[in-house]
Amino acid sequence: MVFQGVSDVQARLEEAGYIPSSEIATIVYLAQEADKPVLVEGPAGVGKTELAKSIACCLGREMIRLQCYEGLDESKALYEWAYAKQLLYTQMLKEKIDEVVSAASSLAGAVDEISRHEDAFFSDRFIQTRPLLAAISSPDPVVLLVDEIDKSDPEFEAFLLELLSDFQVTIPELGTIQARTQPFVFLTSNNYRDMSDALKRRCLHIYIDYPPMETEKRIVAKKLPGIGDRLLDQVVATVAGIRELDLKKKPCISETLDWARSMMILGKDTLTPEALDQTLNTLCKNKADYGVVRSRLRELVTA
């Protein structure tokens, strides 16, 4: 069932385990009503991908994910022809093909005869769908997640424009294919590179930053219902303090959860500098960052 309003988005996302800000809930509702894709930018690990997953859960839709990377092209994102299958059919139908070209008096004539039947080999029977084609070919509406679009090449970003503006794709052998049902599209970016103005014009935009402490407390409490109030307050306050340091990689929400879960597994109900030192690997993933945090353990835990 579609969202009935901003408050409905907020309530259903929270029910699905995602705590949205009012800004996020508003943009999601507007995107649904305006049939616009949503470009979600922000640091890694703040819940951009999780937002798309939660929307799919709320709407009862399948989520189709395209993970972007450098060198990604149409054949990996849209479709590929099953050349081995085409070759196998060609060999199995050799006698029939011989009949088709037998009346031709020249090589060019034989090619013309074959070309009249090429639709038989470039049809749905031989096409291998990839995430984008699967999303617009689906008989039921889906959530399409184009994850980390900033890691793809600008050429691929340009290729996406037709899909994002008209919800159609063009396959040279088959022509233009319109979406059977319109997917709810989310694109995520960690700001590895700037997105083009053309792509931004086609999307509604959300920037998700590290959450305020009160919001992060609600997230941790929802994901780890057994955590004590004192440990919850200390964990979230300490992570907020660590994010203020000059680190190569600041801890994200999933790392806050990993750390809090580690403390619970170890039976800690109160955070101490020694406990932070013992479990620092769950928060920091860079050797240089260990030194920065360890030099301020007591300051961070008592903050």
Side-chain angles (χ1 to χ4, degrees), residues 140-197:
D140 300 312
V142 302
V143 170
L144 172 62
L145 170 62
V146 182
D147 212 8
E148 299 185 333
I149 180 65
D150 51 323
K151 289 185 177 174
S152 68
D153 300 317
E155 292 78 8
F156 181 76
E157 184 186 327
F159 159 75
L160 275 180
L161 297 181
E162 182 185 15
L163 173 69
L164 298 179
S165 59
D166 300 325
F167 292 97
Q168 66 180 32
V169 295
T170 301
I171 297 176
E173 298 86 352
L174 301 179
T176 299
I177 299 175
Q178 289 281 350
R180 296 179 65 184
T181 54
Q182 189 162 315
F184 201 158
V185 183
F186 287 82
L187 303 96
T188 71
S189 166
N190 296 333
N191 294 322
Y192 180 73
R193 66 173 175 82
D194 288 336
M195 298 293 96
S196 70
D197 290 343

Short mmCIF file of all heavy atoms in Angstrom, two decimals, residues 140-197:
data_model
loop_
_atom_site.label_atom_id
_atom_site.label_comp_id
_atom_site.label_asym_id
_atom_site.label_seq_id
_atom_site.Cartn_x
_atom_site.Cartn_y
_atom_site.Cartn_z
N ASP A 140 5.12 -6.33 -11.33
CA ASP A 140 4.75 -5.66 -10.07
C ASP A 140 5.75 -4.56 -9.80
O ASP A 140 6.95 -4.73 -10.04
CB ASP A 140 4.77 -6.67 -8.92
CG ASP A 140 3.80 -7.81 -9.15
OD1 ASP A 140 2.64 -7.53 -9.50
OD2 ASP A 140 4.21 -8.98 -9.00
N PRO A 141 5.30 -3.41 -9.28
CA PRO A 141 6.24 -2.32 -9.01
C PRO A 141 7.29 -2.73 -7.97
O PRO A 141 6.97 -3.43 -7.01
CB PRO A 141 5.34 -1.19 -8.49
CG PRO A 141 4.09 -1.86 -8.06
CD PRO A 141 3.92 -3.07 -8.90
N VAL A 142 8.51 -2.31 -8.19
CA VAL A 142 9.61 -2.67 -7.29
C VAL A 142 10.29 -1.40 -6.79
O VAL A 142 10.02 -0.29 -7.27
CB VAL A 142 10.66 -3.54 -8.02
CG1 VAL A 142 10.03 -4.80 -8.57
CG2 VAL A 142 11.35 -2.76 -9.14
N VAL A 143 11.16 -1.57 -5.82
CA VAL A 143 12.08 -0.50 -5.41
C VAL A 143 13.41 -0.79 -6.08
O VAL A 143 13.96 -1.88 -5.93
CB VAL A 143 12.24 -0.45 -3.88
CG1 VAL A 143 13.37 0.50 -3.49
CG2 VAL A 143 10.94 -0.01 -3.21
N LEU A 144 13.90 0.16 -6.87
CA LEU A 144 15.19 0.00 -7.56
C LEU A 144 16.24 0.82 -6.81
O LEU A 144 16.11 2.04 -6.69
CB LEU A 144 15.10 0.48 -9.01
CG LEU A 144 16.42 0.56 -9.77
CD1 LEU A 144 17.08 -0.81 -9.89
CD2 LEU A 144 16.21 1.17 -11.16
N LEU A 145 17.26 0.14 -6.30
CA LEU A 145 18.35 0.82 -5.60
C LEU A 145 19.58 0.83 -6.50
O LEU A 145 20.12 -0.23 -6.83
CB LEU A 145 18.67 0.09 -4.29
CG LEU A 145 19.94 0.54 -3.56
CD1 LEU A 145 19.85 2.01 -3.14
CD2 LEU A 145 20.23 -0.35 -2.35
N VAL A 146 20.00 2.02 -6.91
CA VAL A 146 21.24 2.19 -7.66
C VAL A 146 22.27 2.66 -6.63
O VAL A 146 22.34 3.84 -6.29
CB VAL A 146 21.08 3.21 -8.81
CG1 VAL A 146 22.38 3.31 -9.60
CG2 VAL A 146 19.93 2.80 -9.72
N ASP A 147 23.03 1.71 -6.11
CA ASP A 147 23.86 1.96 -4.92
C ASP A 147 25.25 2.46 -5.30
O ASP A 147 25.91 1.89 -6.17
CB ASP A 147 23.96 0.67 -4.11
CG ASP A 147 24.07 0.93 -2.62
OD1 ASP A 147 23.93 2.09 -2.20
OD2 ASP A 147 24.31 -0.03 -1.87
N GLU A 148 25.67 3.53 -4.63
CA GLU A 148 27.00 4.13 -4.83
C GLU A 148 27.20 4.53 -6.28
O GLU A 148 28.21 4.18 -6.90
CB GLU A 148 28.09 3.17 -4.32
CG GLU A 148 27.94 2.87 -2.83
CD GLU A 148 29.07 2.03 -2.26
OE1 GLU A 148 29.68 1.25 -3.02
OE2 GLU A 148 29.36 2.16 -1.06
N ILE A 149 26.27 5.31 -6.79
CA ILE A 149 26.33 5.79 -8.16
C ILE A 149 27.60 6.61 -8.40
O ILE A 149 28.12 6.68 -9.52
CB ILE A 149 25.07 6.63 -8.48
CG1 ILE A 149 25.08 7.17 -9.91
CG2 ILE A 149 24.90 7.76 -7.51
CD1 ILE A 149 25.02 6.13 -10.98
N ASP A 150 28.14 7.21 -7.33
CA ASP A 150 29.34 8.04 -7.47
C ASP A 150 30.57 7.22 -7.83
O ASP A 150 31.58 7.77 -8.26
CB ASP A 150 29.61 8.82 -6.18
CG ASP A 150 29.61 7.93 -4.94
OD1 ASP A 150 28.80 6.99 -4.89
OD2 ASP A 150 30.43 8.19 -4.04
N LYS A 151 30.51 5.88 -7.68
CA LYS A 151 31.67 5.05 -8.04
C LYS A 151 31.65 4.65 -9.52
O LYS A 151 32.62 4.10 -10.03
CB LYS A 151 31.70 3.79 -7.17
CG LYS A 151 32.09 4.08 -5.72
CD LYS A 151 32.23 2.80 -4.93
CE LYS A 151 32.69 3.12 -3.50
NZ LYS A 151 32.71 1.91 -2.64
N SER A 152 30.53 4.90 -10.19
CA SER A 152 30.47 4.58 -11.62
C SER A 152 31.11 5.71 -12.43
O SER A 152 31.37 6.80 -11.91
CB SER A 152 29.02 4.37 -12.07
OG SER A 152 28.31 5.60 -12.00
N ASP A 153 31.34 5.46 -13.70
CA ASP A 153 31.94 6.47 -14.57
C ASP A 153 30.88 7.48 -15.00
O ASP A 153 29.69 7.16 -15.04
CB ASP A 153 32.52 5.80 -15.82
CG ASP A 153 33.60 4.78 -15.45
OD1 ASP A 153 34.44 5.10 -14.58
OD2 ASP A 153 33.59 3.67 -16.01
N PRO A 154 31.29 8.71 -15.34
CA PRO A 154 30.31 9.71 -15.80
C PRO A 154 29.52 9.22 -17.01
O PRO A 154 28.35 9.59 -17.17
CB PRO A 154 31.21 10.91 -16.17
CG PRO A 154 32.41 10.76 -15.30
CD PRO A 154 32.64 9.28 -15.18
N GLU A 155 30.13 8.38 -17.87
CA GLU A 155 29.41 7.87 -19.04
C GLU A 155 28.22 7.02 -18.60
O GLU A 155 27.15 7.07 -19.23
CB GLU A 155 30.34 7.04 -19.93
CG GLU A 155 31.43 7.84 -20.61
CD GLU A 155 32.59 8.17 -19.69
OE1 GLU A 155 32.62 7.64 -18.54
OE2 GLU A 155 33.46 8.96 -20.11
N PHE A 156 28.40 6.23 -17.56
CA PHE A 156 27.28 5.40 -17.09
C PHE A 156 26.20 6.27 -16.46
O PHE A 156 25.01 6.02 -16.64
CB PHE A 156 27.76 4.36 -16.08
CG PHE A 156 26.67 3.47 -15.59
CD1 PHE A 156 26.17 2.45 -16.39
CD2 PHE A 156 26.08 3.67 -14.35
CE1 PHE A 156 25.13 1.64 -15.97
CE2 PHE A 156 25.04 2.86 -13.91
CZ PHE A 156 24.57 1.85 -14.72
N GLU A 157 26.63 7.31 -15.74
CA GLU A 157 25.65 8.24 -15.16
C GLU A 157 24.80 8.86 -16.27
O GLU A 157 23.58 8.98 -16.12
CB GLU A 157 26.41 9.32 -14.38
CG GLU A 157 25.51 10.29 -13.65
CD GLU A 157 26.32 11.41 -13.03
OE1 GLU A 157 27.46 11.17 -12.60
OE2 GLU A 157 25.80 12.55 -12.99
N ALA A 158 25.44 9.24 -17.38
CA ALA A 158 24.69 9.81 -18.51
C ALA A 158 23.72 8.80 -19.10
O ALA A 158 22.59 9.14 -19.48
CB ALA A 158 25.67 10.29 -19.58
N PHE A 159 24.15 7.54 -19.14
CA PHE A 159 23.29 6.47 -19.65
C PHE A 159 22.01 6.33 -18.83
O PHE A 159 20.94 6.00 -19.35
CB PHE A 159 24.08 5.16 -19.68
CG PHE A 159 23.24 3.93 -19.70
CD1 PHE A 159 22.58 3.53 -20.85
CD2 PHE A 159 23.10 3.15 -18.56
CE1 PHE A 159 21.79 2.40 -20.87
CE2 PHE A 159 22.31 2.01 -18.55
CZ PHE A 159 21.66 1.64 -19.72
N LEU A 160 22.11 6.62 -17.54
CA LEU A 160 20.95 6.46 -16.65
C LEU A 160 19.87 7.52 -16.86
O LEU A 160 18.73 7.34 -16.43
CB LEU A 160 21.40 6.54 -15.19
CG LEU A 160 21.93 5.28 -14.51
CD1 LEU A 160 22.31 5.62 -13.08
CD2 LEU A 160 20.90 4.17 -14.55
N LEU A 161 20.23 8.61 -17.52
CA LEU A 161 19.30 9.75 -17.59
C LEU A 161 17.98 9.38 -18.25
O LEU A 161 16.91 9.84 -17.83
CB LEU A 161 19.96 10.93 -18.31
CG LEU A 161 21.20 11.50 -17.62
CD1 LEU A 161 21.75 12.67 -18.41
CD2 LEU A 161 20.88 11.92 -16.19
N GLU A 162 18.04 8.58 -19.31
CA GLU A 162 16.80 8.19 -20.00
C GLU A 162 15.89 7.41 -19.06
O GLU A 162 14.67 7.62 -19.03
CB GLU A 162 17.12 7.34 -21.24
CG GLU A 162 15.87 6.95 -22.03
CD GLU A 162 16.17 6.01 -23.20
OE1 GLU A 162 17.28 5.45 -23.23
OE2 GLU A 162 15.31 5.86 -24.07
N LEU A 163 16.48 6.53 -18.29
CA LEU A 163 15.68 5.73 -17.36
C LEU A 163 15.07 6.61 -16.28
O LEU A 163 13.89 6.47 -15.93
CB LEU A 163 16.56 4.65 -16.73
CG LEU A 163 15.91 3.82 -15.61
CD1 LEU A 163 14.81 2.94 -16.19
CD2 LEU A 163 16.92 2.97 -14.88
N LEU A 164 15.86 7.56 -15.75
CA LEU A 164 15.39 8.36 -14.63
C LEU A 164 14.34 9.39 -15.03
O LEU A 164 13.50 9.78 -14.22
CB LEU A 164 16.58 9.07 -13.97
CG LEU A 164 17.64 8.15 -13.36
CD1 LEU A 164 18.77 8.96 -12.75
CD2 LEU A 164 17.02 7.23 -12.30
N SER A 165 14.39 9.86 -16.27
CA SER A 165 13.44 10.89 -16.69
C SER A 165 12.19 10.31 -17.33
O SER A 165 11.08 10.78 -17.09
CB SER A 165 14.11 11.87 -17.66
OG SER A 165 14.58 11.17 -18.80
N ASP A 166 12.34 9.27 -18.14
CA ASP A 166 11.19 8.74 -18.89
C ASP A 166 10.83 7.31 -18.49
O ASP A 166 9.88 6.75 -19.04
CB ASP A 166 11.50 8.76 -20.40
CG ASP A 166 11.78 10.17 -20.88
OD1 ASP A 166 11.13 11.11 -20.36
OD2 ASP A 166 12.65 10.34 -21.76
N PHE A 167 11.59 6.71 -17.60
CA PHE A 167 11.37 5.32 -17.19
C PHE A 167 11.26 4.42 -18.41
O PHE A 167 10.28 3.67 -18.59
CB PHE A 167 10.17 5.20 -16.26
CG PHE A 167 10.41 5.85 -14.94
CD1 PHE A 167 9.97 7.13 -14.68
CD2 PHE A 167 11.12 5.19 -13.95
CE1 PHE A 167 10.24 7.75 -13.47
CE2 PHE A 167 11.39 5.79 -12.73
CZ PHE A 167 10.95 7.08 -12.50
N GLN A 168 12.24 4.54 -19.26
CA GLN A 168 12.33 3.70 -20.44
C GLN A 168 13.81 3.49 -20.76
O GLN A 168 14.68 4.25 -20.31
CB GLN A 168 11.64 4.35 -21.64
CG GLN A 168 12.32 5.63 -22.11
CD GLN A 168 11.62 6.27 -23.31
OE1 GLN A 168 10.41 6.16 -23.44
NE2 GLN A 168 12.39 6.92 -24.18
N VAL A 169 14.11 2.44 -21.51
CA VAL A 169 15.47 2.18 -21.96
C VAL A 169 15.40 1.82 -23.44
O VAL A 169 14.36 1.36 -23.93
CB VAL A 169 16.15 1.05 -21.17
CG1 VAL A 169 16.34 1.43 -19.72
CG2 VAL A 169 15.36 -0.24 -21.29
N THR A 170 16.51 2.03 -24.13
CA THR A 170 16.57 1.71 -25.54
C THR A 170 17.58 0.60 -25.78
O THR A 170 18.74 0.72 -25.40
CB THR A 170 16.95 2.95 -26.36
OG1 THR A 170 15.97 3.97 -26.14
CG2 THR A 170 16.99 2.63 -27.84
N ILE A 171 17.11 -0.48 -26.39
CA ILE A 171 17.98 -1.59 -26.80
C ILE A 171 18.00 -1.60 -28.32
O ILE A 171 16.93 -1.73 -28.95
CB ILE A 171 17.45 -2.92 -26.25
CG1 ILE A 171 17.46 -2.89 -24.71
CG2 ILE A 171 18.27 -4.09 -26.76
CD1 ILE A 171 16.87 -4.12 -24.07
N PRO A 172 19.14 -1.40 -28.94
CA PRO A 172 19.19 -1.22 -30.40
C PRO A 172 18.42 -2.29 -31.17
O PRO A 172 17.71 -1.99 -32.12
CB PRO A 172 20.69 -1.28 -30.70
CG PRO A 172 21.34 -0.80 -29.45
CD PRO A 172 20.48 -1.29 -28.33
N GLU A 173 18.55 -3.56 -30.77
CA GLU A 173 17.90 -4.64 -31.51
C GLU A 173 16.40 -4.73 -31.26
O GLU A 173 15.66 -5.34 -32.05
CB GLU A 173 18.54 -5.99 -31.16
CG GLU A 173 20.02 -6.11 -31.52
CD GLU A 173 20.92 -5.57 -30.43
OE1 GLU A 173 20.39 -4.96 -29.46
OE2 GLU A 173 22.14 -5.72 -30.54
N LEU A 174 15.93 -4.15 -30.15
CA LEU A 174 14.52 -4.30 -29.78
C LEU A 174 13.75 -2.99 -29.78
O LEU A 174 12.52 -2.99 -29.76
CB LEU A 174 14.40 -4.94 -28.38
CG LEU A 174 15.03 -6.32 -28.21
CD1 LEU A 174 14.84 -6.80 -26.77
CD2 LEU A 174 14.40 -7.32 -29.17
N GLY A 175 14.48 -1.86 -29.77
CA GLY A 175 13.82 -0.55 -29.72
C GLY A 175 13.68 -0.06 -28.29
O GLY A 175 14.35 -0.53 -27.37
N THR A 176 12.78 0.89 -28.10
CA THR A 176 12.58 1.50 -26.79
C THR A 176 11.60 0.65 -25.97
O THR A 176 10.53 0.28 -26.46
CB THR A 176 12.04 2.92 -26.94
OG1 THR A 176 12.99 3.69 -27.67
CG2 THR A 176 11.80 3.56 -25.59
N ILE A 177 11.99 0.38 -24.74
CA ILE A 177 11.15 -0.43 -23.86
C ILE A 177 10.68 0.46 -22.71
O ILE A 177 11.48 0.98 -21.93
CB ILE A 177 11.94 -1.63 -23.30
CG1 ILE A 177 12.40 -2.53 -24.45
CG2 ILE A 177 11.10 -2.42 -22.31
CD1 ILE A 177 13.27 -3.68 -24.02
N GLN A 178 9.36 0.63 -22.62
CA GLN A 178 8.77 1.41 -21.54
C GLN A 178 8.61 0.52 -20.30
O GLN A 178 8.37 -0.68 -20.42
CB GLN A 178 7.40 1.94 -21.96
CG GLN A 178 7.43 3.05 -23.00
CD GLN A 178 7.76 4.41 -22.38
OE1 GLN A 178 7.77 4.54 -21.15
NE2 GLN A 178 8.03 5.38 -23.23
N ALA A 179 8.70 1.15 -19.15
CA ALA A 179 8.50 0.40 -17.90
C ALA A 179 7.08 -0.13 -17.83
O ALA A 179 6.13 0.61 -18.08
CB ALA A 179 8.80 1.30 -16.70
N ARG A 180 6.94 -1.41 -17.51
CA ARG A 180 5.60 -1.99 -17.32
C ARG A 180 4.96 -1.41 -16.07
O ARG A 180 3.77 -1.12 -16.03
CB ARG A 180 5.70 -3.52 -17.20
CG ARG A 180 6.21 -4.19 -18.45
CD ARG A 180 6.32 -5.70 -18.25
NE ARG A 180 5.02 -6.33 -18.02
CZ ARG A 180 4.86 -7.61 -17.75
NH1 ARG A 180 5.92 -8.40 -17.65
NH2 ARG A 180 3.66 -8.12 -17.57
N THR A 181 5.75 -1.29 -15.04
CA THR A 181 5.32 -0.60 -13.81
C THR A 181 6.47 0.30 -13.39
O THR A 181 7.63 -0.05 -13.58
CB THR A 181 5.02 -1.60 -12.68
OG1 THR A 181 6.17 -2.43 -12.49
CG2 THR A 181 3.83 -2.47 -13.03
N GLN A 182 6.15 1.44 -12.83
CA GLN A 182 7.22 2.39 -12.52
C GLN A 182 7.89 2.04 -11.20
O GLN A 182 7.22 1.99 -10.16
CB GLN A 182 6.65 3.81 -12.45
CG GLN A 182 7.74 4.86 -12.34
CD GLN A 182 7.22 6.23 -12.71
OE1 GLN A 182 6.52 6.38 -13.71
NE2 GLN A 182 7.56 7.22 -11.93
N PRO A 183 9.19 1.81 -11.22
CA PRO A 183 9.88 1.52 -9.95
C PRO A 183 10.06 2.77 -9.11
O PRO A 183 10.10 3.89 -9.64
CB PRO A 183 11.24 0.98 -10.42
CG PRO A 183 11.46 1.59 -11.76
CD PRO A 183 10.10 1.78 -12.38
N PHE A 184 10.14 2.58 -7.79
CA PHE A 184 10.48 3.66 -6.85
C PHE A 184 12.01 3.64 -6.78
O PHE A 184 12.60 2.70 -6.24
CB PHE A 184 9.85 3.38 -5.50
CG PHE A 184 9.68 4.58 -4.62
CD1 PHE A 184 8.75 4.58 -3.59
CD2 PHE A 184 10.43 5.73 -4.82
CE1 PHE A 184 8.58 5.68 -2.77
CE2 PHE A 184 10.27 6.84 -4.01
CZ PHE A 184 9.34 6.80 -2.97
N VAL A 185 12.66 4.66 -7.35
CA VAL A 185 14.11 4.61 -7.54
C VAL A 185 14.85 5.39 -6.46
O VAL A 185 14.51 6.55 -6.18
CB VAL A 185 14.49 5.17 -8.92
CG1 VAL A 185 16.01 5.04 -9.14
CG2 VAL A 185 13.74 4.44 -10.03
N PHE A 186 15.85 4.76 -5.89
CA PHE A 186 16.76 5.43 -4.96
C PHE A 186 18.18 5.29 -5.49
O PHE A 186 18.60 4.20 -5.87
CB PHE A 186 16.68 4.79 -3.56
CG PHE A 186 15.43 5.13 -2.82
CD1 PHE A 186 14.26 4.42 -3.05
CD2 PHE A 186 15.40 6.18 -1.91
CE1 PHE A 186 13.09 4.73 -2.39
CE2 PHE A 186 14.23 6.50 -1.24
CZ PHE A 186 13.07 5.78 -1.49
N LEU A 187 18.90 6.40 -5.53
CA LEU A 187 20.31 6.40 -5.89
C LEU A 187 21.08 6.87 -4.66
O LEU A 187 20.69 7.86 -4.03
CB LEU A 187 20.61 7.32 -7.07
CG LEU A 187 19.84 7.07 -8.37
CD1 LEU A 187 18.62 7.98 -8.45
CD2 LEU A 187 20.74 7.33 -9.58
N THR A 188 22.15 6.17 -4.31
CA THR A 188 22.94 6.61 -3.16
C THR A 188 24.33 7.05 -3.63
O THR A 188 24.86 6.54 -4.63
CB THR A 188 23.11 5.50 -2.10
OG1 THR A 188 23.98 4.48 -2.61
CG2 THR A 188 21.77 4.90 -1.74
N SER A 189 24.89 8.00 -2.89
CA SER A 189 26.23 8.49 -3.21
C SER A 189 26.96 8.82 -1.92
O SER A 189 26.40 9.45 -1.01
CB SER A 189 26.12 9.75 -4.09
OG SER A 189 27.38 10.41 -4.14
N ASN A 190 28.22 8.40 -1.84
CA ASN A 190 29.08 8.73 -0.69
C ASN A 190 29.94 9.96 -0.99
O ASN A 190 30.92 10.21 -0.30
CB ASN A 190 30.00 7.56 -0.34
CG ASN A 190 29.23 6.35 0.13
OD1 ASN A 190 28.13 6.46 0.66
ND2 ASN A 190 29.79 5.17 -0.08
N ASN A 191 29.59 10.68 -2.07
CA ASN A 191 30.32 11.89 -2.47
C ASN A 191 31.75 11.59 -2.88
O ASN A 191 32.66 12.38 -2.67
CB ASN A 191 30.31 12.95 -1.35
CG ASN A 191 28.92 13.47 -1.09
OD1 ASN A 191 28.14 13.66 -2.03
ND2 ASN A 191 28.59 13.71 0.16
N TYR A 192 31.95 10.39 -3.46
CA TYR A 192 33.27 10.05 -4.02
C TYR A 192 33.61 11.01 -5.15
O TYR A 192 34.75 11.38 -5.37
CB TYR A 192 33.22 8.61 -4.51
CG TYR A 192 34.48 8.07 -5.12
CD1 TYR A 192 35.57 7.74 -4.31
CD2 TYR A 192 34.60 7.87 -6.49
CE1 TYR A 192 36.73 7.24 -4.85
CE2 TYR A 192 35.76 7.37 -7.04
CZ TYR A 192 36.81 7.05 -6.22
OH TYR A 192 37.96 6.57 -6.77
N ARG A 193 32.58 11.40 -5.92
CA ARG A 193 32.71 12.47 -6.92
C ARG A 193 31.36 13.18 -7.00
O ARG A 193 30.33 12.66 -6.56
CB ARG A 193 33.10 11.92 -8.29
CG ARG A 193 32.06 11.04 -8.95
CD ARG A 193 32.45 10.67 -10.37
NE ARG A 193 31.51 9.75 -10.98
CZ ARG A 193 30.36 10.10 -11.54
NH1 ARG A 193 30.00 11.38 -11.55
NH2 ARG A 193 29.56 9.21 -12.07
N ASP A 194 31.36 14.39 -7.55
CA ASP A 194 30.11 15.15 -7.67
C ASP A 194 29.23 14.55 -8.76
O ASP A 194 29.72 14.14 -9.82
CB ASP A 194 30.41 16.61 -8.01
CG ASP A 194 31.01 17.35 -6.83
OD1 ASP A 194 30.77 16.92 -5.69
OD2 ASP A 194 31.71 18.35 -7.06
N MET A 195 27.94 14.52 -8.50
CA MET A 195 26.99 14.10 -9.52
C MET A 195 26.72 15.25 -10.48
O MET A 195 26.85 16.42 -10.14
CB MET A 195 25.67 13.67 -8.86
CG MET A 195 25.78 12.49 -7.92
SD MET A 195 26.18 10.95 -8.78
CE MET A 195 27.95 10.87 -8.60
N SER A 196 26.35 14.91 -11.71
CA SER A 196 26.11 15.95 -12.72
C SER A 196 24.82 16.70 -12.41
O SER A 196 23.91 16.19 -11.74
CB SER A 196 26.02 15.31 -14.10
OG SER A 196 24.83 14.56 -14.21
N ASP A 197 24.74 17.93 -12.91
CA ASP A 197 23.52 18.71 -12.75
C ASP A 197 22.34 18.02 -13.43
O ASP A 197 21.20 18.09 -12.95
CB ASP A 197 23.71 20.12 -13.34
CG ASP A 197 24.67 20.94 -12.51
OD1 ASP A 197 24.92 20.57 -11.35
OD2 ASP A 197 25.19 21.95 -13.04
#
